[in-house]
Amino acid sequence: MKTPPADSFSALLRERGLRATPRRLQLLSLLARAERPMSAHEIKAKWKRGRIDLVTLYRALDALVAATLARRVDLRHGHIDYEINRSGNHHHHLVCTGCGVIEEVTACPGKNLGELALARSAKFASLEEHALEFFGTCKACVA
Amino acid sequence: MKTPPADSFSALLRERGLRATPRRLQLLSLLARAERPMSAHEIKAKWKRGRIDLVTLYRALDALVAATLARRVDLRHGHIDYEINRSGNHHHHLVCTGCGVIEEVTACPGKNLGELALARSAKFASLEEHALEFFGTCKACVA
DNA sequence: GTTAGTGCAAAGCCTTTGCATGAGG
DNA sequence: CCTCATGCAAAGGCTTTGCACTAAC
């Protein structure tokens, strides 16, 4: 999982009409390195250079999500988690209801199923996104 | 969509070791009649006979979810929604990001996909549940 | 009579809003 | 320079906790 250079992040931000500030670059870098979705509070705790206000963080995350550079995920942990949205890295999650451990699932019927659902739907004009998460028990929590 | 008689709800509750109180019976009845998932606040607002404290409602909902009589759903509305969990009525949702309107999706690859994900997983022992929701734009919001 | 359920008050926690200051392009 | 980004303070909203009282069985 290699991390794109900071310049590439700058370009990504500017392409979407967002300013490439140090905080947003570090945020993208953090998200890109992360091995699992993180909450705003976790991101703040992991912040390296300088500090970031939680409000700024929430607003930056909102901007990234709106720009499709990040995704929101609900893992039933009582808060929103965020993860980077790389093209070609579509995936979902297995979540342990015991300890919260997370594993990625790469198989996904979402697109086809979405088209089917849309075709059968009376009310909807288009689908942009879907959420799919599995909840179960990990081997450590069974023992 | 017929509603089972209250006696049947009593039996359901007792089978799971829960007491069949008037509030829980009315709660099950409300959930069974609902055409879409509802938040705790919505349920309280729809309450007919007498009144129910929000705390009691949250605890009753927790009990129903634990007893698999209800399900939690995240439709990205900033709160948890609840719906009845009837056997043979497994479904998911289309959610309009414009106006919030909801439509049910009956097609679901969850079981097979879950088994596949579990087979490929290194860490997980079992899967009990999954969440699958589609987000898009309804015809009214396109116009 | 025991135990589970309920209400009230209060707190907890994540998240958002408003406003003034500061930095990007 | 003008606009967007940031920080601080405060509030908002959903949900949980503690404790005393009530009702189911």
Side-chain angles (χ1 to χ4, degrees):
Chain A
M1 186 90 57
K2 78 175 185 186
T3 305
D7 283 354
S8 135
F9 287 143
S10 294
L12 282 175
L13 288 166
R14 295 218 188 87
E15 282 166 17
R16 326 270 161 143
L18 297 173
R19 289 185 180 171
T21 69
R23 264 146 255 252
R24 287 179 177 176
L25 294 175
Q26 186 174 169
L27 175 54
L28 277 172
S29 171
L30 263 174
L31 290 175
R33 285 179 216 280
E35 297 184 351
R36 48 184 192 73
M38 290 186 299
S39 70
H41 286 80
E42 283 178 288
I43 294 170
K44 181 172 165 59
K46 282 202 164 50
W47 205 259
K48 304 283 185 189
R49 307 188 187 182
R51 43 185 296 289
I52 188 168
D53 189 88
L54 208 44
V55 174
T56 303
L57 187 45
Y58 275 110
R59 289 198 266 231
L61 286 166
D62 286 349
L64 295 189
V65 169
T68 73
L69 295 175
R71 245 195 320 255
R72 272 186 252 263
V73 189
D74 172 41
L75 303 175
R76 297 191 182 171
H77 290 347
H79 56 251
I80 302 169
D81 282 300
Y82 297 85
E83 65 181 5
I84 194 113
N85 188 22
R86 291 187 184 84
S87 65
N89 186 244
H90 184 74
H91 64 267
H92 298 287
H93 306 91
L94 302 179
V95 184
C96 177
T97 49
C99 65
V101 69
I102 296 158
E103 196 172 351
E104 287 192 7
V105 187
T106 52
C108 174
K111 191 162 188 300
N112 294 335
L113 188 59
E115 283 164 6
L116 175 62
L118 192 57
R120 288 190 189 170
S121 164
K123 296 180 186 170
F124 277 73
S126 65
L127 297 183
E128 279 90 46
E129 216 188 330
H130 62 272
L132 172 60
E133 325 299 337
F134 293 89
F135 300 91
T137 308
C138 77
K139 291 174 182 169
C141 283
V142 164
Chain B
M1 187 88 60
K2 78 175 182 187
T3 305
D7 283 354
S8 134
F9 287 142
S10 293
L12 281 175
L13 288 166
R14 296 218 186 87
E15 282 166 15
R16 326 270 161 142
L18 297 173
R19 290 183 181 173
T21 70
R23 264 147 255 251
R24 288 178 177 177
L25 294 175
Q26 186 174 169
L27 175 54
L28 278 172
S29 171
L30 263 174
L31 290 175
R33 286 179 217 278
E35 296 184 352
R36 48 184 194 73
M38 291 187 296
S39 70
H41 286 81
E42 282 178 288
I43 294 169
K44 181 172 165 58
K46 283 202 164 50
W47 205 258
K48 305 283 185 188
R49 307 190 187 180
R51 43 184 295 290
I52 188 168
D53 190 87
L54 208 46
V55 174
T56 302
L57 186 45
Y58 275 110
R59 288 198 265 233
L61 286 166
D62 286 349
L64 294 189
V65 169
T68 72
L69 294 175
R71 247 195 319 257
R72 271 186 253 263
V73 189
D74 172 40
L75 303 175
R76 297 191 183 172
H77 290 349
H79 57 251
I80 303 169
D81 282 301
Y82 297 85
E83 64 181 5
I84 194 112
N85 189 22
R86 291 187 183 84
S87 65
N89 186 244
H90 184 76
H91 64 267
H92 298 287
H93 305 92
L94 302 179
V95 184
C96 177
T97 49
C99 65
V101 69
I102 296 157
E103 195 172 351
E104 288 191 6
V105 186
T106 52
C108 174
K111 191 163 189 301
N112 295 334
L113 188 59
E115 282 164 6
L116 175 62
L118 192 57
R120 287 189 188 170
S121 163
K123 295 180 185 170
F124 277 72
S126 63
L127 297 183
E128 279 90 47
E129 216 187 331
H130 61 272
L132 172 61
E133 324 300 336
F134 293 89
F135 301 92
T137 309
C138 77
K139 291 173 182 171
C141 283
V142 165

